[in-house]
Structure formats: C-alpha cells, structure tokens
Amino acid sequence: MTPGKRRLRQIVAVATLETRRRLFGRGAVALYLLAAFPVAVFGTRAVAGLMTGVTETIAMDDGIFAMIYRLLLLRFSIFLGCLVVFSTLYRGEVLDKTLHYPLLAPLRRSTWAAGKFLSGLLAAWLLFGGVTACTWMLTYLAHGPGALAGKLLSPEGLLQLLAYLAATGLACAGYGALFFVFGLFFRMPILPALVVLAWESANFLLPAFLKKLSVVHYVESFLPVPVDMGPLAILASPSSPWVAVPGIALLVWGLLRLAAWKLDRVEVLYGAE
C-alpha cells in the first residue's frame, strides 16, 4: 500500500469514528437543541398555516425563507452549531484527558487533524443540512401538501433547495476550520468566536473589499433569493460560486496546515489546563 493510500485510509478511519462521537456523544444534546429551534419555529408556522391559512403567497415565502435563513439559520444555528462541534474536536480531548491516546497512535498528527476536521464537517452538514431542508419544506407546507409537492417537483424549487444545502455545507466548512483552530490556540474559543460573529453580522455594512474577509460573503454567493438588508447596507456584487468554493477551500487548507503545525508542537500537560 502506498503512503498516500495508507494516509487516506487513516483519515477515513478517524473521521468515521469521530463522526459517531459528534452525533451521539455527550455534547450532541446542545447540537440537537440548536437544530430543533428553527425547526420548531417553521413547524409552528406550518401548523398554523394548515389550520387557519396563510396570507403570504408562495413567491412571498421565497423571500421570507431567504431572510430567515440568513438571520436564524446561518448566523445562529449553523454558526453556534459549528462552534460546538469544531471547537471541541481538540479542546474536548484535553478536557477529557484523552489527548495522549491519538497523539501516541501510529499516525501523523496532520492526518489526525484532517480526520478530526472531516468528522466535524460530516456531522455538522448532516445535522444542519437536514435542518435546512426541513425548514425549507415547512415554509411551503404551510400552504398545504400540494403546494410543497409542486415546489419540490419543479426544477426551480429543487435547484433552490440544492442551493441552500450547498450554502450550508460551505458555511460548515468555513466556520468549522476557524473554530477548529480556535480550539487549538485558545482555552476559551467562545471569545474569538464572538469577535467573528460580530464581524460576520456586520458584513452588510462593510465596504466591498472588507466583505471578502468573511465567510458569509462567499456563502451568500449560493443563496438563490436576494434580500434587502436595509437602507444602511453597502451594496457589493456577490462572489461567483466559481470563486466562493475555491476561496473557502483555500481557507480550510490554510487553517488545517496551521492546525497541523500547532499539533506537531503540542505536549500533553494536563496539569496546566
């Protein structure tokens, strides 16, 4: 077996094991609560719509979901969910005093870091991709099962759903890489994460050249329905998906290289924590 294939198998093995821990371990309760909140909001609206009817048209619901996706899912559930998942990939091992096990295993630390990150990405996208699809469908279910079926069976509706799922995956990758590194460099990753949240939330107010220094700028290139962010928003052309995907991929690659560099210099000193 070539070294490349051996390393790939090790990454997949680490990712498989760790994905189960992310989805079914002790910290999974917080994740499911973050995921349940937007589903409960959209589910309540769907039930109310089926019982009493809705005044909005399906075209209006396109804009409503686009706005709520940006404010509730992207900047709340997905952001905080990625913080919970990725900041604990390393920090959780330290707190549980189990870090010495993977560091003594016969695999490179960069391989372990790649497998850890992949496990977080799979867990986050499976969970919040499911939330994205569920809330999108609940938006149109408020008009009745026929309206939802019509939306799903139309090429425009299906492409819209796929675009939101792609945006969710891109957000999980970008935020995940950031929070993975925060967990390596900071004992309290939530503090730098709050700075990132403030920067991402103020993105619509930033000049065009500063918008490009945020994850949300590239994620929004996949969002199919534009929204009006208010009179104070500074307009800027969104990046093309052909730029957004390589941009986030380059960010992830750079941050994983930084994580591998840090891990190569880690010493297990639990008493210092």
Side-chain angles (χ1 to χ4, degrees):
M1 183 183 296
T2 64
K5 288 184 178 180
R6 182 182 301 109
R7 189 179 182 191
L8 181 60
R9 289 187 63 179
Q10 290 173 336
I11 290 173
V12 171
V14 172
T16 302
L17 175 64
E18 292 294 328
T19 301
R20 296 195 194 101
R21 291 179 62 186
R22 301 280 78 78
L23 291 175
F24 306 109
R26 289 180 301 173
V29 175
L31 280 180
Y32 290 117
L33 289 175
L34 285 169
F37 179 67
V39 173
V41 171
F42 282 87
T44 301
R45 179 180 181 270
V47 170
L50 291 172
M51 294 178 62
T52 63
V54 292
T55 57
E56 298 86 4
T57 65
I58 291 181
M60 292 171 64
D61 273 348
D62 288 344
I64 291 172
F65 182 80
M67 177 61 77
I68 296 180
Y69 178 86
R70 285 168 168 83
L71 298 179
L72 180 60
L73 271 75
L74 189 56
R75 288 177 172 84
F76 178 74
S77 289
I78 295 173
F79 185 92
L80 293 180
C82 287
L83 177 60
V84 171
V85 172
F86 290 92
S87 66
T88 58
L89 291 177
Y90 169 81
R91 186 57 47 188
E93 299 279 5
V94 174
L95 296 177
D96 292 340
K97 300 189 184 311
T98 57
L99 181 61
H100 56 286
Y101 292 121
L103 295 189
L104 291 173
L107 75 164
R108 295 169 60 181
R109 295 186 180 186
S110 59
T111 300
W112 181 71
K116 274 279 195 177
F117 174 78
L118 183 58
S119 73
L121 183 59
L122 287 171
W125 189 81
L126 285 172
L127 185 58
F128 293 103
V131 170
T132 299
C134 187
T135 51
W136 184 87
M137 289 188 286
L138 286 171
T139 300
Y140 303 102
L141 182 61
H143 297 272
L148 173 59
K151 190 74 175 177
L152 279 171
L153 294 175
S154 69
E156 178 187 358
L158 186 58
L159 288 175
Q160 193 180 94
L161 176 57
L162 292 176
Y164 282 116
L165 290 174
T168 297
L170 205 64
C172 291
Y175 291 136
L178 276 173
F179 298 148
F180 184 31
V181 170
F182 287 172
L184 279 163
F185 282 88
F186 301 97
R187 290 190 181 183
M188 296 184 65
I190 191 172
L191 297 179
L194 289 175
V195 176
V196 173
L197 178 60
W199 179 265
E200 297 285 293
S201 299
N203 179 264
F204 69 101
L205 299 173
L206 299 176
F209 72 97
L210 288 179
K211 290 181 185 291
K212 297 179 182 179
L213 301 178
S214 64
V215 173
V216 72
H217 173 74
Y218 300 98
V219 171
E220 287 183 343
S221 67
F222 276 90
L223 300 184
V225 181
V227 298
D228 182 6
M229 298 301 292
L232 297 179
I234 297 177
L235 299 179
S237 300
S239 296
S240 163
W242 299 105
V243 174
V245 173
I248 294 295
L250 184 62
L251 173 69
V252 170
W253 178 82
L255 290 173
L256 286 182
R257 293 286 295 180
L258 180 61
W261 175 86
K262 175 66 174 176
L263 282 169
D264 282 339
R265 287 153 181 81
V266 164
E267 295 182 3
V268 180
L269 299 170
Y270 291 130
E273 287 294 328

